[in-house]
Amino acid sequence: MRRSLAVFLAVTGVIVIFLIHSVYTLLTLLVEDGSADAIHSAEIPAPNSPLIDNMPQYIPKIIHQTYINESVPEIWREAQRTCIDIHEDYEYKMWTDAKSRELIATEYPWFLTTFDNYSQPIQRADAIRYFVLAHFGGVYIDLDDGCNRRLDPLLSYPAWVRRTAPTGISNDAMGSIPQHPFFLTVIESLREYDKNWRLPYITVMYSTGPLFLSVIWKKYMSSGSNIGDGAGGGRVRILMMDEYNRYPWSFFSHHKGSSWHGKDARLIFWMGSHWMMLTVMGFLLAGVVGFGLWWVWGRMLLLGQRRTKRRDGGVWERAMGWGWRGGKGGYELTERHPV
């Protein structure tokens, strides 16, 4: 029995270790708040402050945005104009589907097959933003993000992304110098994460979207690469929610968007807002399943032992000449064999 228990615990332990290893990065994201690399309010001069002129500029003055073609829907034009109008000295690049594919085909042909084979157009829109930041540098801004103030202070950090809720980082506003090691890691990881998870929302989020970016960010930090400020450093700074869009002095203002979300997104959003409860329920379910497996394992061992005893007992009885005659007498000597 002890040996069987040891075997069961060993097998169960291997399965648990495998499952934890498979989702370890996702689990660690639940407790990662990005505070160690946060861009604090105290670091950011007020709009139009002369202190801005004393800050170094690492990121080039380029604003990148993406859409199917040049005809941006009216719902996003106001947000688009706010970013263009207050950054008249910035280069503006609108990455249409055609221009995006041309850049990939010309500069990154190794990725063209993956780019063309994405099942959702938003996956190509996600991917191209990583490539243009790695290639040209600059600031990427989603069309549903308007600009409250000039982005000059954010050019002082070689790479930055923004914190999102409930955990991780988002890809709707990002900045980088050309060839920053983090965004090079991101584009190199896209093919590895190109998997179909059946639900479109999960597929997008984990292949090219914010969840994918968050996982790569977490692995990047774990690898020891997230160190060093300045032009040659590898650190990625985090724009927190207050600095992102919560106040009039924040950098961005959010407009209606996310038009690509399907019906399956409702479930995912609900899960995201109840992640703590679902995590606890998951551990409880794992405990119940483990106990059930142990109970089944124990019953199987018990039945096996009973059958073995009966079989072994019958062999011994026949060998000694004892047999069952029935009735109240039970066993009696029926034939003795020479031993």
Side-chain angles (χ1 to χ4, degrees), residues 30-55:
L30 296 175
V31 295
E32 178 60 64
D33 60 5
S35 59
D37 299 300
I39 301 174
H40 298 285
S41 300
E43 299 178 49
I44 304 172
N48 303 316
S49 170
L51 294 176
I52 296 176
D53 296 331
N54 298 327
M55 301 180 72

Side-chain angles (χ1 to χ4, degrees), residues 142-215:
D142 262 2
L143 282 171
D144 56 353
D145 276 321
C147 295
N148 276 343
R149 54 177 292 186
R150 284 180 62 87
L151 303 176
D152 296 352
L154 296 179
L155 305 184
S156 300
Y157 307 101
W160 58 268
V161 291
R162 83 162 182 91
R163 181 81 163 84
T164 191
T167 187
I169 58 177
S170 184
N171 66 353
D172 55 359
M174 308 175 289
S176 175
I177 61 173
Q179 302 295 299
H180 191 278
F182 172 67
F183 283 98
L184 291 178
T185 301
V186 171
I187 64 175
E188 290 172 357
S189 303
L190 283 166
R191 289 193 297 183
E192 177 186 350
Y193 283 79
D194 180 26
K195 296 178 175 62
N196 189 332
W197 297 93
R198 302 304 175 188
L199 292 176
Y201 188 82
I202 293 295
T203 297
V204 171
M205 290 289 285
Y206 201 47
S207 64
T208 60
L211 184 55
F212 157 77
L213 188 66
S214 297
V215 169

Side-chain angles (χ1 to χ4, degrees), residues 273-325:
S273 60
H274 298 83
W275 66 269
M276 182 62 75
M277 178 190 71
L278 293 174
T279 300
V280 173
M281 290 178 62
F283 280 109
L284 290 175
L285 179 61
V288 171
V289 171
F291 178 79
L293 290 174
W294 166 242
W295 185 86
V296 171
W297 178 268
R299 295 295 297 176
M300 292 175 63
L301 289 177
L302 183 60
L303 291 174
Q305 290 174 352
R306 288 178 178 176
R307 290 175 181 173
T308 301
K309 287 181 178 179
R310 290 175 182 173
R311 183 176 62 253
D312 294 345
V315 171
W316 182 84
E317 290 155 3
R318 288 192 296 272
M320 297 302 295
W322 292 90
W324 181 261
R325 286 298 189 187

Side-chain angles (χ1 to χ4, degrees), residues 45-241:
N48 303 316
S49 170
L51 294 176
I52 296 176
D53 296 331
N54 298 327
M55 301 180 72
Q57 178 195 325
Y58 300 119
I59 295 177
K61 292 184 174 181
I62 307 173
I63 291 177
H64 302 277
Q65 293 191 301
T66 64
Y67 192 62
I68 301 170
N69 50 48
E70 300 285 353
S71 301
V72 176
E74 182 64 34
I75 191 174
W76 293 323
R77 288 180 189 173
E78 180 184 356
Q80 180 191 32
R81 280 195 299 269
T82 61
C83 292
I84 294 175
D85 290 347
I86 65 175
H87 297 99
E88 67 282 348
D89 56 332
Y90 281 53
E91 181 182 0
Y92 180 81
K93 290 179 177 288
M94 170 57 73
W95 292 95
T96 64
D97 287 357
K99 290 180 180 179
S100 299
R101 190 182 188 282
E102 181 182 1
L103 175 69
I104 297 299
T106 303
E107 300 291 344
Y108 303 95
W110 53 267
F111 188 71
L112 186 60
T113 300
T114 303
F115 189 79
D116 286 341
N117 288 339
Y118 277 134
S119 60
Q120 304 291 330
I122 186 62
Q123 291 174 285
R124 285 184 283 275
D126 280 337
I128 194 61
R129 66 190 69 181
Y130 307 134
F131 278 96
V132 298
L133 288 180
H135 191 82
F136 298 101
V139 177
Y140 171 82
I141 309 171
D142 262 2
L143 282 171
D144 56 353
D145 276 321
C147 295
N148 276 343
R149 54 177 292 186
R150 284 180 62 87
L151 303 176
D152 296 352
L154 296 179
L155 305 184
S156 300
Y157 307 101
W160 58 268
V161 291
R162 83 162 182 91
R163 181 81 163 84
T164 191
T167 187
I169 58 177
S170 184
N171 66 353
D172 55 359
M174 308 175 289
S176 175
I177 61 173
Q179 302 295 299
H180 191 278
F182 172 67
F183 283 98
L184 291 178
T185 301
V186 171
I187 64 175
E188 290 172 357
S189 303
L190 283 166
R191 289 193 297 183
E192 177 186 350
Y193 283 79
D194 180 26
K195 296 178 175 62
N196 189 332
W197 297 93
R198 302 304 175 188
L199 292 176
Y201 188 82
I202 293 295
T203 297
V204 171
M205 290 289 285
Y206 201 47
S207 64
T208 60
L211 184 55
F212 157 77
L213 188 66
S214 297
V215 169
I216 301 305
W217 169 61
K218 188 62 180 176
K219 290 184 175 181
Y220 181 79
M221 290 191 294
S222 299
S223 71
S225 302
N226 193 47
I227 56 173
D229 295 308
R235 189 181 181 190
V236 180
R237 300 299 297 272
I238 307 300
L239 187 68
M240 306 303 276
M241 296 300 294

